[in-house]
Amino acid sequence: MTAPVFSGEWARACGEALNQNPAYREAALTWEGAVLLRLTPALESEAAQLVYFDLWHGECRAARAAAPEDESMARYAMSGSAGAWRQVLTGQVPPLLALMTGKIRLTKGALAELLPHVNAARELVLTFAGVP
C-alpha cells in the first residue's frame, strides 16, 4: 500500500530511501540544515500538510510529519500547491527552477544558499519520486 504524499508515513519512507541512496549521500556531503516542506491546501478550510527532514552531510537524521515547532528549527521551508509539488516530484520541473520561477516558494532561508546544492536537490527529488 502506498502512503499519501506529505504524510508522516511518506516522509519516513523518503528518509529511509535517502539514507539508502549513495548518489544522494555523495551529492549532499556539504548540505547542512533541516527542510520543512508545505503542501498548501486547495481550499482555505483545509489544513496545510507539512513534512520535516533533518538533513546533514548526506544523511537524513529524521523524517516525519512536521510539528508546529519544526518550522522554527528548519533552516529552509518551502511551500507549494499539489500541482507544483507534482511537477517537481515527477521531474517535470527541477527543484531549483521551481523555486526561481515561484512554482514553489521559499518561505524560510536564502535561495543563494541553495544554489551550490543543485545536485543534492536533484538527487533528493529523484529519491522522493521513487517512493510509492
Side-chain angles (χ1 to χ4, degrees), residues 34-101:
V35 175
L36 182 124
L37 304 179
R38 175 182 284 109
L39 173 62
T40 55
L43 302 172
E44 285 188 30
S45 60
E46 297 175 340
Q49 293 174 264
L50 298 99
V51 289
Y52 175 85
F53 298 93
D54 182 1
L55 306 174
W56 193 259
H57 295 271
E59 180 185 357
C60 181
R61 301 188 296 191
R64 62 180 181 270
E69 63 273 11
D70 286 334
E71 189 153 10
S72 64
M73 294 189 323
R75 184 169 181 177
Y76 305 99
M78 299 168 207
S79 181
S81 67
W85 284 117
R86 189 175 303 108
Q87 288 181 329
V88 171
L89 292 172
T90 59
Q92 292 174 319
V93 177
L96 269 324
L97 181 60
L99 287 168
M100 292 171 65
T101 61

Side-chain angles (χ1 to χ4, degrees), residues 95-110:
L96 269 324
L97 181 60
L99 287 168
M100 292 171 65
T101 61
K103 287 183 183 293
I104 302 293
R105 290 183 309 113
L106 185 64
T107 58
K108 183 176 182 186

Side-chain angles (χ1 to χ4, degrees), residues 7-19 51-53 60 62-65 131:
S7 68
E9 186 180 347
W10 176 80
R12 285 186 295 281
C14 288
E16 290 171 9
L18 283 175
N19 287 333
V51 289
Y52 175 85
F53 298 93
C60 181
R64 62 180 181 270
V131 173

